Structures are given as structure tokens and as C-alpha cells.
């Protein structure tokens, strides 16, 4: 029996994500989640813009809410970044694990099939030389190349010919 070869991305470390976000805040979040880092960087800027607009238009409710949200956000800024980083790394690693399991299941399905099992392709061709117009039936133990490649993702034409052209 051959050993399966699985192609996966490398996982990310939760410890490194915590250290980076503890030291650098949302900039350290880039390790775990680019979109999360961008959101955490631009949220305070957005809250400042809302406060400036509130001062410019002189809307006390808008000023109060923006300063209240900014104060709450700034008090929990680093903590939110660290939690987001841990959550992103865990979900990223789970996606890699699920993909590896899927590849392993495909490998098992392909390699544990019955070796005596064969596929029959029936080609019906009308012979142009025959005056009777009879159809010829070709029976083969190998599948069509296109069907085989569709049913065996990650395989190449060389794999097909290695298996069926002996």
C-alpha cells in the first residue's frame, strides 16, 4: 500500500498571533486576518471623522455617541484585536484540517477500490463504409480521458496513461 501525499497550506500559530497583537495591536492582526486588521485600523479613523462632522454641524447627539463609542473602543482596542486574531487563526487552521481530511478521503476512495472492478464504455459509431448502416459497439475497460480526469481531481494525463495504457 502506498503512502498518501496531501498538499496543504501551513498552519498558523495561536501563540504568535497573541504575541503580535499584544505588541502591535491591529498591525499584529495582519498575521491572522488582513480584513480584520484593516477594520481595526480604520474604525477609530471613522469614529474621529464622525466626531468632526458632529462638531462641524453642531449635533450634540452625534458628538456624544461618537465620543462614547470611541472611548469604549479605545479601552478595548487591544483586547478586541487579540480575540479577533485568536479566532481567525483557529478558523483558518480548521479550514486546513477539513481540506486535508477531504484529500485523504479522496485518496482512500481511489486506492481502496476493488482492483477487479472495471468501467465499460460503449461507443456507438455509424460506419461510413458500410452500406447497411450498422452500428459498431466498442467495449473498453478504461474510462474516457475527460471522465477520468473529472472524477480524479489532482491527477494528470500521465497518471491516466500509466494506469490504463499497459
Amino acid at each position: 500500500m502506498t503512502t498518501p501525499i496531501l498538499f496543504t497550506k501551513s498552519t498558523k500559530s495561536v501563540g504568535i498571533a497573541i504575541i503580535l497583537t499584544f505588541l502591535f495591536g491591529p498591525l499584529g492582526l495582519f498575521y491572522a486576518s488582513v480584513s480584520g486588521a484593516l477594520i481595526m485600523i480604520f474604525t477609530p479613523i471613522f469614529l474621529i471623522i464622525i466626531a468632526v462632522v458632529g462638531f462641524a454641524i453642531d449635533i450634540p447627539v452625534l458628538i456624544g455617541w461618537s465620543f462614547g463609542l470611541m472611548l469604549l473602543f479605545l479601552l478595548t482596542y487591544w483586547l478586541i484585536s487579540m480575540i479577533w486574531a485568536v479566532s481567525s487563526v483557529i478558523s483558518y487552521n480548521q479550514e486546513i484540517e477539513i481540506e486535508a481530511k477531504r484529500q485523504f478521503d479522496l485518496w482512500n476512495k481511489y486506492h481502496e477500490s476493488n482492483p477487479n472492478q472495471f468501467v465499460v464504455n460503449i461507443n456507438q459509431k455509424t460506419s461510413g463504409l458500410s452500406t447497411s448502416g450498422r452500428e459498431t459497439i466498442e467495449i473498453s475497460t478504461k474510462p474516457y480521458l475527460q471522465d477520468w480526469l473529472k472524477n480524479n481531481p489532482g491527477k494528470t494525463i500521465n497518471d491516466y496513461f500509466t494506469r490504463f495504457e499497459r
Side-chain angles (χ1 to χ4, degrees):
M1 178 157 202
T2 60
T3 304
I5 298 173
L6 304 176
F7 295 99
T8 63
K9 299 179 202 173
S10 58
T11 58
K12 294 182 180 180
S13 170
V14 175
I16 291 175
I18 291 172
I19 290 170
L20 288 173
T21 53
F22 179 75
L23 295 175
F24 303 111
L27 293 177
L29 186 57
F30 273 111
Y31 172 76
S33 170
V34 174
S35 61
L38 292 174
I39 290 170
M40 291 300 286
I41 289 171
F42 288 114
T43 301
I45 296 170
F46 178 70
L47 292 174
I48 291 170
I49 290 172
I50 290 176
V52 168
V53 168
F55 275 122
I57 301 176
D58 196 27
I59 302 176
V61 174
L62 188 61
I63 297 169
W65 274 101
S66 64
F67 275 122
L69 286 174
M70 195 178 328
L71 180 63
L72 177 69
F73 186 73
L74 291 177
L75 290 175
T76 59
Y77 193 60
W78 248 244
L79 182 62
I80 292 170
S81 295
M82 291 173 69
I83 292 171
W84 197 326
V86 170
S87 168
S88 295
V89 167
I90 289 172
S91 67
Y92 176 83
N93 290 343
Q94 285 175 345
E95 288 174 10
I96 289 175
E97 185 178 339
I98 290 169
E99 177 61 23
K101 285 180 182 178
R102 186 189 69 77
Q103 286 184 21
F104 189 69
D105 290 341
L106 280 174
W107 186 88
N108 280 336
K109 179 182 173 185
Y110 177 71
H111 286 86
E112 291 180 3
S113 62
N114 185 354
N116 296 327
Q117 185 180 19
F118 62 92
V119 177
V120 176
N121 291 330
I122 300 177
N123 285 338
Q124 295 184 349
K125 300 176 184 176
T126 306
S127 175
L129 300 175
S130 172
T131 57
S132 64
R134 296 173 63 182
E135 295 179 349
T136 61
I137 297 176
E138 175 186 319
I139 297 179
S140 171
T141 58
K142 67 178 183 178
Y144 291 119
L145 175 62
Q146 292 85 1
D147 295 334
W148 188 84
L149 288 172
K150 186 170 77 172
N151 294 331
N152 295 288
K155 298 292 183 177
T156 64
I157 294 173
N158 291 336
D159 297 323
Y160 174 81
F161 285 113
T162 301
R163 181 173 176 130
F164 294 109
E165 297 292 327
R166 293 181 186 159

